[in-house]
Coordinates of all heavy atoms in Angstrom, one line a residue:
P1 N 106.2 110.0 117.4 CA 105.6 110.4 116.2 C 104.0 110.5 116.3 O 103.4 111.3 115.7 CB 106.0 109.3 115.2 CG 107.2 108.8 115.7 CD 107.1 108.9 117.2
Q2 N 103.5 109.6 117.1 CA 102.0 109.6 117.3 C 101.5 110.9 118.0 O 100.5 111.5 117.6 CB 101.5 108.4 118.1 CG 100.0 108.3 118.1 CD 99.3 108.2 116.8 OE1 99.8 107.4 115.9 NE2 98.2 108.9 116.5
Y3 N 102.3 111.4 119.0 CA 102.0 112.6 119.7 C 102.0 113.8 118.7 O 101.2 114.7 118.8 CB 102.9 112.9 120.9 CG 102.7 111.9 122.0 CD1 103.8 111.2 122.5 CD2 101.4 111.6 122.6 CE1 103.6 110.2 123.5 CE2 101.2 110.7 123.6 CZ 102.3 110.0 124.1 OH 102.2 109.1 125.1
D4 N 103.0 113.8 117.9 CA 103.2 114.8 116.9 C 101.9 114.8 115.9 O 101.3 115.9 115.7 CB 104.5 114.6 116.1 CG 104.7 115.8 115.1 OD1 105.0 116.9 115.5 OD2 104.5 115.5 113.8
Y5 N 101.6 113.7 115.4 CA 100.4 113.5 114.6 C 99.2 114.1 115.3 O 98.4 114.9 114.8 CB 100.2 112.1 114.2 CG 99.0 111.8 113.5 CD1 98.8 112.0 112.1 CD2 97.9 111.3 114.1 CE1 97.6 111.8 111.4 CE2 96.7 111.0 113.5 CZ 96.6 111.3 112.1 OH 95.4 111.0 111.5
D6 N 99.0 113.6 116.5 CA 97.8 114.0 117.3 C 97.7 115.5 117.5 O 96.7 116.1 117.4 CB 97.8 113.3 118.7 CG 97.5 111.8 118.5 OD1 97.1 111.3 117.5 OD2 97.8 111.1 119.5
F7 N 98.9 116.1 117.9 CA 98.9 117.5 118.1 C 98.5 118.3 116.9 O 97.6 119.2 116.9 CB 100.3 118.0 118.6 CG 100.4 119.5 118.7 CD1 100.0 120.1 119.9 CD2 101.0 120.2 117.7 CE1 100.1 121.5 120.0 CE2 101.1 121.6 117.8 CZ 100.6 122.2 119.0
H8 N 99.1 118.0 115.7 CA 98.8 118.7 114.5 C 97.4 118.5 114.1 O 96.7 119.4 113.7 CB 99.8 118.3 113.4 CG 101.2 118.9 113.6 ND1 101.5 120.1 113.1 CD2 102.2 118.4 114.3 CE1 102.8 120.4 113.5 NE2 103.2 119.4 114.2
M9 N 96.9 117.3 114.2 CA 95.5 117.0 113.8 C 94.5 117.7 114.7 O 93.5 118.2 114.3 CB 95.2 115.5 113.8 CG 96.0 114.8 112.6 SD 95.8 115.5 111.0 CE 94.0 115.2 110.7
D10 N 94.9 117.8 116.0 CA 94.0 118.6 116.9 C 94.0 120.0 116.6 O 92.9 120.7 116.6 CB 94.5 118.4 118.4 CG 94.2 117.0 119.0 OD1 93.3 116.3 118.4 OD2 94.8 116.7 120.0
I11 N 95.1 120.6 116.1 CA 95.1 122.0 115.7 C 94.2 122.2 114.5 O 93.4 123.1 114.4 CB 96.6 122.4 115.4 CG1 97.4 122.5 116.7 CG2 96.6 123.8 114.7 CD1 97.1 123.6 117.6
F12 N 94.4 121.2 113.5 CA 93.5 121.3 112.3 C 92.0 121.2 112.7 O 91.2 121.9 112.1 CB 93.9 120.3 111.3 CG 95.3 120.5 110.7 CD1 96.2 119.5 110.7 CD2 95.6 121.7 110.1 CE1 97.5 119.6 110.2 CE2 96.9 121.9 109.6 CZ 97.8 120.9 109.6
R13 N 91.7 120.3 113.5 CA 90.3 120.1 113.9 C 89.8 121.3 114.7 O 88.6 121.6 114.5 CB 90.2 118.8 114.8 CG 90.2 117.5 114.1 CD 89.9 116.3 115.0 NE 90.5 115.2 114.4 CZ 91.7 114.6 114.9 NH1 92.3 115.1 115.9 NH2 92.1 113.5 114.3
A14 N 90.6 122.0 115.4 CA 90.2 123.2 116.2 C 89.8 124.3 115.3 O 89.1 125.2 115.7 CB 91.3 123.6 117.1
T15 N 90.2 124.2 114.0 CA 89.7 125.3 113.1 C 88.3 125.1 112.7 O 87.7 126.1 112.1 CB 90.6 125.2 111.8 OG1 90.3 124.0 111.0 CG2 92.1 125.3 112.0
H16 N 87.7 124.0 112.9 CA 86.3 123.6 112.5 C 86.2 123.8 111.0 O 85.1 124.0 110.5 CB 85.3 124.5 113.3 CG 85.4 124.4 114.7 ND1 85.0 123.3 115.4 CD2 86.0 125.2 115.7 CE1 85.2 123.4 116.7 NE2 85.8 124.6 116.9
N17 N 87.2 123.5 110.3 CA 87.2 123.6 108.9 C 87.4 122.1 108.4 O 88.5 121.6 108.3 CB 88.4 124.5 108.4 CG 88.4 124.6 106.9 OD1 87.9 123.7 106.1 ND2 89.0 125.7 106.4
D18 N 86.2 121.5 108.1 CA 86.2 120.1 107.7 C 87.0 119.9 106.4 O 87.7 118.8 106.3 CB 84.8 119.6 107.5 CG 84.0 119.5 108.8 OD1 84.7 119.4 109.9 OD2 82.8 119.6 108.8
L19 N 87.0 120.8 105.5 CA 87.7 120.6 104.2 C 89.2 120.6 104.5 O 90.0 119.7 104.0 CB 87.4 121.8 103.3 CG 88.2 121.7 101.9 CD1 87.9 120.4 101.2 CD2 87.8 122.9 101.1
L20 N 89.7 121.5 105.4 CA 91.1 121.5 105.8 C 91.5 120.1 106.4 O 92.5 119.5 106.0 CB 91.4 122.6 106.7 CG 92.9 122.6 107.3 CD1 93.9 122.9 106.2 CD2 93.0 123.7 108.4
V21 N 90.7 119.6 107.3 CA 91.0 118.4 108.0 C 91.0 117.2 106.9 O 91.9 116.4 107.0 CB 90.0 118.1 109.1 CG1 90.1 116.7 109.6 CG2 90.1 119.1 110.2
R22 N 90.1 117.2 106.0 CA 90.1 116.2 105.0 C 91.3 116.3 104.0 O 91.8 115.3 103.5 CB 88.8 116.3 104.2 CG 87.6 115.7 104.9 CD 86.4 115.6 104.1 NE 86.0 117.0 103.7 CZ 84.8 117.4 103.3 NH1 83.9 116.5 103.1 NH2 84.6 118.6 103.0
L23 N 91.8 117.5 103.8 CA 93.0 117.7 102.9 C 94.2 117.2 103.6 O 95.1 116.6 103.0 CB 93.1 119.1 102.5 CG 92.1 119.6 101.5 CD1 92.2 121.1 101.3 CD2 92.3 118.9 100.1
V24 N 94.4 117.6 104.9 CA 95.7 117.3 105.6 C 95.8 115.8 106.1 O 96.9 115.3 106.3 CB 96.0 118.3 106.7 CG1 96.1 119.7 106.1 CG2 95.0 118.2 107.8
T25 N 94.6 115.2 106.4 CA 94.7 113.8 106.9 C 95.5 112.9 106.0 O 96.4 112.2 106.5 CB 93.3 113.3 107.2 OG1 92.7 114.2 108.2 CG2 93.3 111.9 107.7
P26 N 95.2 112.8 104.7 CA 96.0 111.9 103.9 C 97.5 112.2 103.9 O 98.4 111.3 103.9 CB 95.4 112.0 102.5 CG 94.1 112.6 102.7 CD 94.2 113.4 104.0
F27 N 97.8 113.5 103.9 CA 99.2 113.9 104.0 C 99.9 113.4 105.2 O 101.0 112.8 105.2 CB 99.3 115.5 103.9 CG 100.7 115.9 104.2 CD1 101.7 115.8 103.3 CD2 101.0 116.5 105.5 CE1 103.0 116.3 103.7 CE2 102.2 116.9 105.8 CZ 103.3 116.8 104.9
Y28 N 99.2 113.6 106.4 CA 99.8 113.1 107.6 C 99.9 111.6 107.7 O 100.8 111.0 108.2 CB 99.1 113.7 108.8 CG 99.6 115.0 109.2 CD1 99.2 116.2 108.6 CD2 100.6 115.1 110.1 CE1 99.7 117.4 108.9 CE2 101.2 116.3 110.5 CZ 100.7 117.5 109.8 OH 101.3 118.7 110.1
M29 N 99.0 110.9 107.0 CA 99.0 109.4 107.0 C 100.2 109.0 106.1 O 100.9 108.1 106.5 CB 97.7 108.9 106.4 CG 96.5 109.3 107.2 SD 96.2 108.4 108.7 CE 95.7 106.9 108.1
M30 N 100.4 109.7 105.0 CA 101.5 109.3 104.1 C 102.9 109.7 104.6 O 103.9 109.1 104.2 CB 101.3 109.9 102.7 CG 100.1 109.3 102.0 SD 99.9 110.0 100.3 CE 99.8 111.7 100.5
S31 N 102.9 110.7 105.5 CA 104.2 111.1 106.0 C 104.6 110.4 107.3 O 105.6 110.8 107.9 CB 104.2 112.6 106.2 OG 103.3 113.0 107.2
R32 N 104.0 109.4 107.6 CA 104.3 108.6 108.8 C 105.8 108.2 108.9 O 106.4 108.3 109.9 CB 103.4 107.4 109.0 CG 103.7 106.4 110.0 CD 103.3 107.0 111.4 NE 103.9 106.1 112.4 CZ 103.3 106.0 113.6 NH1 102.2 106.6 113.8 NH2 103.9 105.2 114.5
T33 N 106.3 107.6 107.8 CA 107.6 107.2 107.8 C 108.6 108.3 108.0 O 109.6 108.2 108.7 CB 107.9 106.4 106.4 OG1 107.0 105.4 106.3 CG2 109.3 105.9 106.4
R34 N 108.3 109.4 107.4 CA 109.2 110.6 107.6 C 109.2 111.0 109.0 O 110.3 111.4 109.6 CB 108.8 111.8 106.7 CG 109.1 111.5 105.2 CD 108.5 112.6 104.4 NE 109.0 113.9 104.7 CZ 109.5 114.8 103.9 NH1 109.5 114.5 102.6 NH2 110.0 116.0 104.3
R35 N 108.1 111.0 109.7 CA 108.0 111.4 111.1 C 108.8 110.4 111.9 O 109.5 110.8 112.9 CB 106.6 111.5 111.6 CG 105.9 112.8 111.1 CD 104.6 113.1 111.8 NE 103.7 112.0 112.0 CZ 102.9 111.5 111.0 NH1 102.9 112.1 109.8 NH2 102.1 110.5 111.2
D36 N 108.7 109.1 111.6 CA 109.4 108.1 112.3 C 110.9 108.4 112.2 O 111.6 108.3 113.2 CB 109.1 106.7 111.8 CG 107.7 106.2 112.1 OD1 107.1 106.8 113.0 OD2 107.3 105.3 111.5
V37 N 111.4 108.7 111.0 CA 112.8 109.0 110.8 C 113.2 110.2 111.6 O 114.2 110.2 112.3 CB 113.1 109.1 109.3 CG1 114.5 109.7 109.1 CG2 113.0 107.8 108.6
F38 N 112.4 111.3 111.5 CA 112.8 112.5 112.1 C 112.8 112.4 113.6 O 113.7 112.9 114.3 CB 111.7 113.6 111.7 CG 112.0 115.0 112.2 CD1 112.9 115.8 111.6 CD2 111.4 115.5 113.4 CE1 113.2 117.0 112.0 CE2 111.7 116.7 113.8 CZ 112.6 117.5 113.1
F39 N 111.9 111.6 114.2 CA 111.8 111.6 115.7 C 112.7 110.4 116.3 O 112.6 110.2 117.5 CB 110.4 111.4 116.1 CG 109.6 112.7 115.9 CD1 108.6 112.8 115.1 CD2 110.0 113.9 116.6 CE1 107.9 114.0 114.9 CE2 109.3 115.1 116.5 CZ 108.3 115.1 115.6
K40 N 113.5 109.8 115.5 CA 114.4 108.8 116.1 C 115.5 109.5 116.9 O 116.0 108.9 117.8 CB 115.1 108.0 115.0 CG 114.2 106.9 114.5 CD 114.9 105.9 113.6 CE 113.9 104.9 113.1 NZ 114.5 103.8 112.5
N41 N 115.7 110.8 116.6 CA 116.7 111.6 117.4 C 115.9 112.3 118.6 O 115.0 113.1 118.4 CB 117.3 112.6 116.4 CG 118.3 113.5 117.1 OD1 117.9 114.3 118.0 ND2 119.5 113.4 116.7
Q42 N 116.4 112.0 119.8 CA 115.7 112.5 121.0 C 115.8 114.0 121.1 O 114.8 114.6 121.6 CB 116.3 111.9 122.2 CG 115.8 110.5 122.5 CD 114.3 110.5 122.7 OE1 113.6 110.0 121.9 NE2 113.9 110.9 123.9
S43 N 116.9 114.6 120.6 CA 116.9 116.1 120.7 C 115.9 116.7 119.8 O 115.3 117.7 120.2 CB 118.3 116.6 120.4 OG 118.7 116.4 119.1
R44 N 115.6 116.1 118.7 CA 114.6 116.6 117.8 C 113.2 116.5 118.4 O 112.3 117.4 118.3 CB 114.6 116.0 116.4 CG 115.7 116.5 115.5 CD 115.6 116.1 114.1 NE 115.7 114.7 113.9 CZ 116.8 114.0 113.6 NH1 118.0 114.7 113.5 NH2 116.8 112.8 113.3
C45 N 113.0 115.4 119.2 CA 111.7 115.2 119.9 C 111.5 116.3 120.9 O 110.5 116.9 121.0 CB 111.7 113.8 120.6 SG 111.6 112.4 119.5
K46 N 112.6 116.6 121.7 CA 112.5 117.6 122.7 C 112.2 119.0 122.2 O 111.4 119.7 122.7 CB 113.8 117.6 123.6 CG 113.9 116.3 124.4 CD 115.2 116.3 125.2 CE 115.3 115.0 126.0 NZ 116.6 114.9 126.7
V47 N 112.9 119.3 121.1 CA 112.7 120.6 120.5 C 111.3 120.7 120.0 O 110.6 121.7 120.2 CB 113.7 120.9 119.3 CG1 113.3 122.1 118.5 CG2 115.1 121.0 119.9
S48 N 110.8 119.7 119.3 CA 109.5 119.7 118.8 C 108.4 119.8 119.9 O 107.5 120.6 119.8 CB 109.2 118.4 118.0 OG 108.0 118.4 117.4
H49 N 108.7 119.1 121.0 CA 107.7 119.2 122.1 C 107.7 120.7 122.7 O 106.6 121.2 122.9 CB 108.2 118.3 123.2 CG 107.3 118.3 124.4 ND1 106.0 117.8 124.4 CD2 107.5 118.8 125.7 CE1 105.4 118.0 125.6 NE2 106.3 118.6 126.4
R50 N 108.8 121.3 122.8 CA 108.9 122.7 123.3 C 108.1 123.6 122.3 O 107.4 124.5 122.7 CB 110.3 123.2 123.5 CG 111.0 122.6 124.7 CD 112.3 123.3 125.1 NE 113.2 123.3 124.0 CZ 114.2 122.4 123.8 NH1 114.3 121.4 124.7 NH2 115.0 122.5 122.8
Q51 N 108.3 123.4 121.0 CA 107.6 124.2 120.0 C 106.1 124.0 120.1 O 105.4 124.9 120.0 CB 108.1 123.8 118.6 CG 109.5 124.3 118.3 CD 110.0 123.9 117.0 OE1 109.7 122.8 116.4 NE2 110.9 124.7 116.4
H52 N 105.7 122.7 120.3 CA 104.3 122.4 120.4 C 103.7 123.2 121.6 O 102.6 123.8 121.5 CB 104.0 121.0 120.6 CG 104.2 120.2 119.3 ND1 104.1 118.8 119.3 CD2 104.4 120.6 118.0 CE1 104.3 118.4 118.0 NE2 104.5 119.5 117.3
L53 N 104.4 123.2 122.7 CA 103.9 123.9 123.9 C 103.8 125.4 123.6 O 102.8 126.0 124.0 CB 104.9 123.7 125.1 CG 104.9 122.3 125.7 CD1 106.0 122.2 126.8 CD2 103.6 121.9 126.3
S54 N 104.8 126.0 122.9 CA 104.7 127.4 122.6 C 103.6 127.7 121.7 O 102.9 128.7 121.8 CB 106.0 127.8 121.9 OG 107.1 127.7 122.9
M55 N 103.3 126.8 120.7 CA 102.2 127.0 119.8 C 100.9 126.9 120.5 O 100.0 127.7 120.3 CB 102.3 126.0 118.6 CG 103.3 126.3 117.6 SD 103.3 125.1 116.2 CE 104.2 123.8 116.9
Y56 N 100.8 125.9 121.4 CA 99.6 125.8 122.2 C 99.3 127.0 123.0 O 98.2 127.5 123.0 CB 99.7 124.5 123.1 CG 98.5 124.4 124.0 CD1 97.3 123.9 123.6 CD2 98.6 124.9 125.3 CE1 96.2 123.9 124.5 CE2 97.6 124.9 126.2 CZ 96.4 124.3 125.8 OH 95.3 124.3 126.6
E57 N 100.3 127.5 123.7 CA 100.1 128.7 124.5 C 99.7 129.9 123.6 O 98.9 130.7 124.1 CB 101.4 129.0 125.3 CG 101.7 128.0 126.3 CD 103.1 128.1 126.9 OE1 103.9 129.0 126.5 OE2 103.5 127.3 127.8
A58 N 100.3 130.0 122.5 CA 99.9 131.1 121.6 C 98.5 131.0 121.1 O 97.7 132.0 121.1 CB 100.9 131.2 120.4
V59 N 98.1 129.8 120.8 CA 96.7 129.6 120.3 C 95.7 129.9 121.5 O 94.7 130.5 121.4 CB 96.5 128.2 119.8 CG1 95.0 127.9 119.6 CG2 97.3 128.1 118.4
A60 N 96.1 129.3 122.7 CA 95.2 129.4 123.8 C 95.0 130.9 124.3 O 94.0 131.3 124.7 CB 95.7 128.6 125.0
S61 N 96.1 131.7 124.1 CA 96.0 133.1 124.4 C 95.5 134.0 123.3 O 95.5 135.2 123.4 CB 97.3 133.6 125.0 OG 98.3 133.6 123.9
R62 N 95.1 133.3 122.2 CA 94.6 134.0 121.0 C 95.6 135.0 120.4 O 95.3 136.0 119.8 CB 93.3 134.7 121.3 CG 92.2 133.7 121.7 CD 90.9 134.4 121.8 NE 89.9 133.5 122.3 CZ 89.2 132.6 121.5 NH1 89.5 132.5 120.3 NH2 88.3 131.9 122.1
A63 N 96.9 134.6 120.5 CA 98.0 135.4 119.9 C 98.2 134.9 118.5 O 99.1 134.1 118.2 CB 99.3 135.3 120.7
R64 N 97.3 135.3 117.6 CA 97.3 134.8 116.3 C 98.6 134.9 115.5 O 99.0 133.9 114.9 CB 96.1 135.5 115.5 CG 96.0 135.0 114.1 CD 94.8 135.7 113.5 NE 94.6 135.1 112.1 CZ 94.5 135.9 111.1 NH1 94.6 137.2 111.2 NH2 94.3 135.3 109.9
Q65 N 99.2 136.0 115.5 CA 100.4 136.2 114.7 C 101.5 135.4 115.3 O 102.3 134.7 114.6 CB 100.8 137.7 114.6 CG 102.0 137.9 113.7 CD 101.7 137.5 112.2 OE1 100.6 137.9 111.7 NE2 102.5 136.7 111.6
R66 N 101.6 135.3 116.6 CA 102.7 134.5 117.2 C 102.4 133.0 116.9 O 103.4 132.3 116.6 CB 102.6 134.7 118.7 CG 103.7 133.9 119.5 CD 104.1 134.5 120.8 NE 104.9 133.5 121.6 CZ 106.2 133.2 121.3 NH1 106.7 133.6 120.2 NH2 106.8 132.3 122.1
A67 N 101.2 132.6 117.0 CA 100.9 131.2 116.6 C 101.4 130.9 115.2 O 102.0 129.8 114.9 CB 99.5 130.9 116.9
M68 N 101.0 131.8 114.3 CA 101.4 131.6 112.9 C 102.9 131.6 112.7 O 103.5 130.7 112.0 CB 100.7 132.6 112.0 CG 99.2 132.4 111.9 SD 98.3 133.7 111.0 CE 99.4 134.7 110.2
D69 N 103.6 132.5 113.4 CA 105.1 132.5 113.3 C 105.7 131.3 113.8 O 106.6 130.7 113.2 CB 105.6 133.8 114.0 CG 105.2 135.1 113.3 OD1 104.8 135.1 112.2 OD2 105.4 136.1 114.0
L70 N 105.2 130.8 115.0 CA 105.7 129.6 115.6 C 105.5 128.4 114.7 O 106.4 127.5 114.5 CB 105.1 129.4 117.0 CG 105.5 130.4 118.0 CD1 104.6 130.3 119.3 CD2 107.0 130.1 118.4
M71 N 104.3 128.3 114.1 CA 104.0 127.2 113.2 C 104.9 127.2 112.0 O 105.4 126.1 111.6 CB 102.5 127.2 112.8 CG 102.1 126.0 112.0 SD 102.3 124.4 112.8 CE 100.9 124.3 113.8
S72 N 105.1 128.4 111.4 CA 106.0 128.5 110.3 C 107.4 128.0 110.6 O 108.0 127.3 109.8 CB 106.0 129.9 109.7 OG 104.8 130.2 109.2
A73 N 107.9 128.4 111.7 CA 109.2 128.0 112.2 C 109.3 126.5 112.4 O 110.3 125.8 112.0 CB 109.7 128.8 113.4
H74 N 108.3 126.0 113.0 CA 108.2 124.6 113.3 C 108.2 123.7 112.0 O 109.0 122.8 111.9 CB 106.9 124.3 114.1 CG 106.7 122.9 114.5 ND1 107.5 122.2 115.4 CD2 105.7 122.0 114.1 CE1 107.0 121.0 115.6 NE2 105.9 120.8 114.8
I75 N 107.3 124.1 111.1 CA 107.3 123.4 109.8 C 108.6 123.5 109.0 O 109.1 122.6 108.4 CB 106.0 123.8 109.0 CG1 104.8 123.3 109.8 CG2 106.1 123.2 107.6 CD1 103.5 123.9 109.2
G76 N 109.1 124.8 109.0 CA 110.3 125.0 108.3 C 111.5 124.2 108.8 O 112.3 123.7 108.0
R77 N 111.5 123.9 110.1 CA 112.6 123.1 110.7 C 112.6 121.7 110.1 O 113.6 121.1 109.7 CB 112.4 123.1 112.2 CG 113.4 122.2 112.9 CD 113.1 122.4 114.5 NE 113.6 121.3 115.2 CZ 112.9 120.3 115.6 NH1 111.6 120.3 115.5 NH2 113.4 119.3 116.2
V78 N 111.4 121.1 110.0 CA 111.2 119.8 109.4 C 111.6 119.8 107.9 O 112.2 118.9 107.4 CB 109.8 119.2 109.7 CG1 109.6 117.9 109.0 CG2 109.6 119.1 111.2
E79 N 111.1 120.8 107.2 CA 111.4 120.9 105.8 C 112.9 121.0 105.5 O 113.4 120.3 104.6 CB 110.7 122.1 105.2 CG 109.2 121.9 105.1 CD 108.5 123.2 104.6 OE1 109.1 124.3 104.6 OE2 107.3 123.1 104.2
R80 N 113.6 121.8 106.3 CA 115.0 121.9 106.2 C 115.7 120.5 106.4 O 116.7 120.2 105.7 CB 115.6 122.9 107.1 CG 115.3 124.3 106.6 CD 116.1 125.4 107.4 NE 115.7 125.4 108.8 CZ 114.6 125.9 109.4 NH1 113.8 126.5 108.6 NH2 114.4 125.9 110.7
Y81 N 115.2 119.8 107.4 CA 115.8 118.5 107.7 C 115.8 117.5 106.5 O 116.7 116.8 106.2 CB 115.1 117.8 108.9 CG 115.6 116.4 109.2 CD1 116.8 116.3 109.9 CD2 114.9 115.3 108.7 CE1 117.3 115.0 110.1 CE2 115.4 114.1 109.0 CZ 116.6 113.9 109.7 OH 117.1 112.6 109.9
F82 N 114.7 117.6 105.7 CA 114.5 116.6 104.7 C 114.9 117.1 103.3 O 114.8 116.4 102.3 CB 113.0 116.2 104.6 CG 112.6 115.2 105.7 CD1 111.9 115.6 106.7 CD2 113.1 113.9 105.6 CE1 111.6 114.7 107.7 CE2 112.8 113.0 106.6 CZ 112.0 113.4 107.7
R83 N 115.6 118.2 103.2 CA 116.1 118.7 102.0 C 117.4 118.0 101.6 O 118.2 117.6 102.3 CB 116.4 120.2 102.0 CG 115.1 121.0 101.9 CD 115.5 122.5 101.7 NE 114.2 123.2 101.8 CZ 114.1 124.4 102.2 NH1 115.2 125.1 102.6 NH2 112.9 125.0 102.3

């Protein structure tokens, strides 16, 4: 869960948008328990890691639309889990 937190916060910080970082930080702090529950399953950890690598590659190559699509799919997966 800490790596997940770090990855997402690094993405937010990379925007250089201080307001965004200030808005999402409390959300990520409050959702710690949910991340702990989600990542107890090793297969979910592995899928999340692969998604993070894909998102990183998209951002690094400046493939903006691909990065946005990957992030939406990544977040959607977690949202579906907690419904």
Side-chain angles (χ1 to χ4, degrees):
Q2 186 62 43
Y3 293 125
D4 182 73
Y5 171 83
D6 291 344
F7 176 80
H8 287 270
M9 293 308 297
D10 286 346
I11 293 291
F12 293 128
R13 285 187 204 101
T15 68
H16 302 287
N17 182 335
D18 292 335
L19 179 58
L20 176 63
V21 173
R22 285 187 297 201
L23 286 171
V24 299
T25 298
F27 167 76
Y28 273 84
M29 304 284 284
M30 291 184 306
S31 65
R32 170 73 190 213
T33 302
R34 288 175 59 132
R35 283 193 316 279
D36 289 344
V37 168
F38 186 80
F39 288 116
K40 282 189 181 195
N41 179 294
Q42 280 300 104
S43 67
R44 283 194 293 269
C45 289
K46 290 176 183 177
V47 169
S48 185
H49 180 70
R50 285 194 304 269
Q51 289 177 329
H52 286 174
L53 290 174
S54 295
M55 285 184 278
Y56 172 80
E57 290 167 1
V59 169
S61 66
R62 299 190 184 277
R64 181 176 181 233
Q65 188 60 52
R66 177 154 171 73
M68 290 176 10
D69 292 345
L70 290 167
M71 184 60 80
S72 291
H74 180 68
I75 292 170
R77 179 175 156 258
V78 175
E79 288 175 343
R80 285 188 299 280
Y81 176 80
F82 284 105
R83 282 190 191 152

